[in-house]
């Protein structure tokens, strides 16, 4: 049974950047539910994929050094350990992972045309399609069974998980490996990072829920790694149950025990989380208002999809945060979805005109602090809301 636990208000599409601010930009309810049976945490309102993932999708995986490094490291591991004849990536974005492989050994699936074009132009075979059984059948008829399927930050964006795994199972060879990685529900609850929820993130996975889900498809997790990317993610290594050669590592039970002990299987944990989120909103607004009273200027750093949730939930406008800055060409000179805050092109000295920088991309804190040493040296300060609102 699905139980409601948090209302994050009306939210615009998190990646819908507008050239001019529109007060009446379409917004949708963002309410969170916990299913006591499947243990899945999900959002209520499902927006059709075609509206969210189109030919102008602004998120680019390779925009950050952290992500590029993470994909490079994983590619080495895959090549050394699993040596796949063919790797298929569901949601290949701008090719941050597949560019580490030989062109003849990878297939990209990317529904956003502007992103698929990037990898196609570089000569990587890319299917500009949504992942479904039709595509799975088509690829099977061309390439046969696939021995390694990878997907990061994509499967949680698809409403019908049964279709997703059915289509994967259909093309994965009997000894094949599926690697998926997505933000970790445990890390989200621990860090109070309610901004992991936006309309694209239909689910936030826990190992408990993934294990249950896979059982239906005779798939099982054989290893799990905790990653620092996207504010704390889990990488699940999955195999078919019939493949007895791969042993299940201790990491799987360790993660599941950790989640159970933290209470991820119980509704009460989510109710507590909800209280913490409401407090976080009050505390963040208090900090921002105090800074404004002192006539200091704040810029937002990193126009992430996550920050759209924060700004719209806390109702933060340009009176509090005058601008944002970001490196992504598709976001620059546009407005933060739902807000009258313009995104400025990142330049080396941009922060010098401000006293404070609100960390929209808090998940890249390390990378950003390193880059902005001179801002900090000159007395500039960062503001974060993770795990609790504070000035750093
Ligand atoms: P993400 O948290 O969804 O990966 O988005 C990160 C956003 O932050 C993306 O729009 C790029 C931006 N960004 C910067 O503008 N400067 C930086 O130094 C970093 C690391 C990210």
């Amino acid at each position: 049974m699905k139980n409601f636990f948090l209302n994050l208000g009306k939210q615009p599409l998190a990646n819908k950047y507008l050239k001019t601010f529109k007060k009446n930009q379409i917004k949708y309810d963002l309410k969170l539910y916990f299913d006591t049976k499947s243990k899945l945490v999900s959002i209520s309102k499902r927006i059709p994929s075609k509206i969210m993932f189109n030919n102008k999708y602004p998120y680019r995986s390779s925009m950050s050094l952290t992500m590029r490094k993470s994909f490079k490291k994983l590619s080495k591991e895959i090549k050394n350990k699993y040596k796949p004849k063919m790797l298929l990536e569901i949601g290949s974005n701008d090719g941050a992972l597949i560019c580490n492989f030989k062109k003849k050994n990878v297939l990209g699936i990317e529904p956003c045309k502007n992103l698929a074009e990037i990898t196609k132009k570089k000569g990587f075979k890319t299917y500009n399609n949504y992942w479904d059984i039709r595509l799975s059948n088509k690829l099977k008829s061309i390439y046969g069974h696939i021995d390694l399927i990878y997907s990061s930050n994509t499967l949680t964006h698809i409403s019908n998980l049964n279709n997703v795994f059915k289509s994967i199972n259909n093309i994965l060879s009997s000894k094949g490996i599926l690697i998926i990685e997505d933000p970790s529900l445990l890390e989200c609850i621990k860090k109070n990072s309610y901004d992991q929820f936006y309309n694209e993130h239909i689910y936030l996975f826990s190992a408990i829920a993934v294990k249950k889900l896979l059982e239906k498809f005779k798939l099982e997790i054989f290893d799990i790694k905790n990653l620092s990317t996207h504010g704390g993610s889990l990488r699940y290594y999955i195999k078919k149950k019939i493949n007895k050669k791969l042993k299940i590592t201790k990491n799987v039970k360790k993660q599941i025990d950790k989640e159970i002990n933290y209470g991820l299987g119980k509704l009460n944990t989510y109710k507590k989380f909800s209280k913490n989120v409401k407090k976080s909103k009050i505390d963040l607004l208090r900090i921002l208002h105090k800074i404004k009273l002192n006539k200091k200027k704040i810029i937002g750093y990193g126009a992430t999809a996550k920050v759209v949730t924060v700004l719209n939930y806390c109702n933060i406008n340009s009176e509090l945060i005058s601008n944002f800055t970001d490196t992504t060409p598709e976001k620059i000179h546009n407005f933060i979805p739902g807000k009258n805050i313009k995104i400025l092109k990142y330049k080396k000295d941009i922060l010098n005109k401000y006293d404070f920088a609100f960390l929209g991309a808090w998940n890249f804190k390390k990378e950003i602090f390193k880059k902005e040493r001179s801002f900090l040296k000159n007395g500039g300060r960062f503001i974060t809301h993770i795990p609790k609102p504070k000035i750093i």
Side-chain angles (χ1 to χ4, degrees):
M1 197 181 104
K2 279 188 188 172
N3 295 273
F4 165 78
F5 65 91
L6 178 61
N7 185 353
L8 289 169
K10 295 266 181 205
Q11 296 278 352
L13 292 180
N15 272 303
K16 185 84 180 166
Y17 293 86
L18 299 179
K19 281 260 172 272
T20 47
F21 169 62
K22 278 195 194 128
K23 251 188 179 163
N24 57 353
Q25 182 170 3
I26 301 172
K27 292 186 178 178
Y28 307 87
D29 279 326
L30 187 62
K31 291 182 181 163
L32 313 188
Y33 288 80
F34 170 64
D35 189 324
T36 41
K37 193 162 174 247
S38 67
K39 308 291 179 194
L40 272 168
V41 165
S42 63
I43 64 169
S44 53
K45 179 80 189 164
R46 310 285 163 95
I47 295 153
S49 301
K50 285 192 171 69
I51 295 181
M52 294 192 282
F53 309 110
N54 42 42
N55 53 6
K56 275 195 197 144
Y57 192 68
Y59 181 75
R60 303 259 301 260
S61 309
S62 53
M63 274 294 131
S64 110
L65 180 66
T66 314
M67 290 314 295
R68 289 199 302 274
K69 274 188 184 165
S70 171
F71 287 128
K72 198 167 186 176
K73 197 170 159 201
L74 173 66
S75 310
K76 272 191 189 158
E77 180 192 326
I78 290 176
K79 283 185 229 171
N80 293 338
K81 231 173 163 175
Y82 304 116
K83 303 177 180 60
K85 281 193 223 88
M86 184 64 94
L87 178 144
L88 181 151
E89 185 179 17
I90 304 170
S92 49
N93 198 275
D94 63 354
L97 175 97
I98 59 174
C99 71
N100 295 293
F101 289 85
K102 284 192 181 136
K103 291 183 177 117
K104 65 176 177 48
N105 295 128
V106 282
L107 294 174
I109 315 289
E110 179 46 63
C112 303
K113 198 172 171 201
N114 60 317
L115 299 174
E117 288 299 326
I118 297 173
T119 46
K120 273 188 196 177
K121 271 189 196 143
K122 287 184 185 161
F124 288 94
K125 185 81 194 161
T126 313
Y127 288 82
N128 181 206
N129 291 94
Y130 291 95
W131 177 249
D132 58 18
I133 195 70
R134 246 181 44 193
L135 181 63
S136 173
N137 277 328
K138 179 179 163 182
L139 297 181
K140 195 162 79 171
S141 70
I142 304 173
Y143 304 98
H145 284 99
I146 301 284
D147 46 4
L148 207 141
I149 301 179
Y150 175 71
S151 189
S152 114
N153 297 295
T154 300
L155 303 191
T156 51
H157 297 48
I158 310 175
S159 182
N160 193 333
L161 290 175
N162 283 332
N163 279 350
V164 165
F165 286 101
K166 197 172 135 196
S167 313
I168 287 175
N169 226 359
N170 174 54
I171 195 168
L172 188 68
S173 66
S174 55
K175 287 183 184 158
I177 289 160
L178 164 68
I179 304 176
I180 60 175
E181 66 186 68
D182 287 281
S184 153
L185 180 64
L186 181 62
E187 289 304 312
C188 163
I189 304 285
K190 274 187 179 172
K191 293 192 173 94
N192 207 31
S193 53
Y194 61 91
D195 51 359
Q196 292 287 8
F197 294 97
Y198 46 92
N199 24 50
E200 289 177 9
H201 284 181
I202 294 169
Y203 304 97
L204 214 66
F205 284 162
S206 63
I208 305 175
V210 172
K211 184 175 187 281
K212 267 184 170 289
L213 183 65
L214 294 176
E215 272 161 15
K216 286 190 229 167
F217 303 94
K218 299 194 169 58
L219 293 167
E220 63 188 350
I221 309 169
F222 67 92
D223 200 6
I224 291 188
K225 276 189 186 152
N226 273 276
L227 311 173
S228 60
T229 51
H230 290 290
S233 298
L234 285 179
R235 183 179 287 152
Y236 304 88
Y237 295 75
I238 298 161
K239 66 175 186 70
K240 292 198 169 177
K241 277 194 174 174
I242 47 163
N243 176 5
K244 303 281 179 208
K245 276 203 170 150
L246 283 166
K247 295 284 165 253
I248 298 175
T249 69
K250 282 183 200 150
N251 298 339
V252 181
K253 186 174 180 305
K254 206 168 132 192
Q255 179 67 27
I256 286 176
D257 286 350
K258 213 160 63 170
E259 293 182 357
I260 290 173
N261 293 337
Y262 200 86
L264 287 199
K266 291 184 193 141
L267 178 61
N268 211 24
T269 306
Y270 303 95
K271 289 194 168 157
K272 260 194 242 161
F273 169 69
S274 171
K275 272 191 197 152
N276 293 340
V277 172
K278 286 171 194 155
K279 182 170 177 342
S280 173
K281 172 178 176 172
I282 296 167
D283 292 348
L284 177 62
L285 284 172
R286 194 177 291 137
I287 291 174
L288 298 180
H289 279 292
K290 202 170 159 195
I291 291 173
K292 274 291 125 174
L293 268 177
N294 289 329
K295 306 229 174 333
K296 301 283 186 203
K297 275 180 86 178
I298 309 171
I299 187 168
Y301 198 112
T304 58
K306 291 188 280 298
V307 91
V308 174
T309 294
V310 178
L311 301 181
N312 283 279
Y313 172 60
C314 300
N315 199 18
I316 295 166
N317 296 314
S318 63
E319 291 149 38
L320 286 177
I321 298 183
S322 28
N323 289 101
F324 258 75
T325 184
D326 200 285
T327 50
T328 316
E330 287 83 350
K331 296 182 184 179
I332 295 164
H333 305 313
N334 284 285
F335 283 82
I336 293 269
K339 291 287 150 196
N340 60 351
I341 308 176
K342 199 166 187 178
I343 303 162
L344 307 177
K345 185 176 176 172
Y346 176 77
K347 283 188 208 131
K348 214 174 172 340
D349 57 355
I350 194 162
L351 299 193
N352 294 346
K353 295 183 201 127
Y354 300 84
D355 307 286
F356 291 87
F358 174 61
L359 264 180
W362 56 267
N363 44 316
F364 294 114
K365 191 167 104 182
K366 257 196 198 160
E367 183 178 335
I368 292 170
F369 278 21
K370 214 168 151 190
K371 212 158 96 183
E372 306 305 341
R373 269 187 304 239
S374 72
F375 170 67
L376 287 163
K377 246 194 205 159
N378 295 333
R381 288 288 167 262
F382 278 96
I383 307 162
T384 187
H385 62 293
I386 301 293
K388 280 181 182 165
K390 66 174 178 217
I391 294 170
I392 308 174

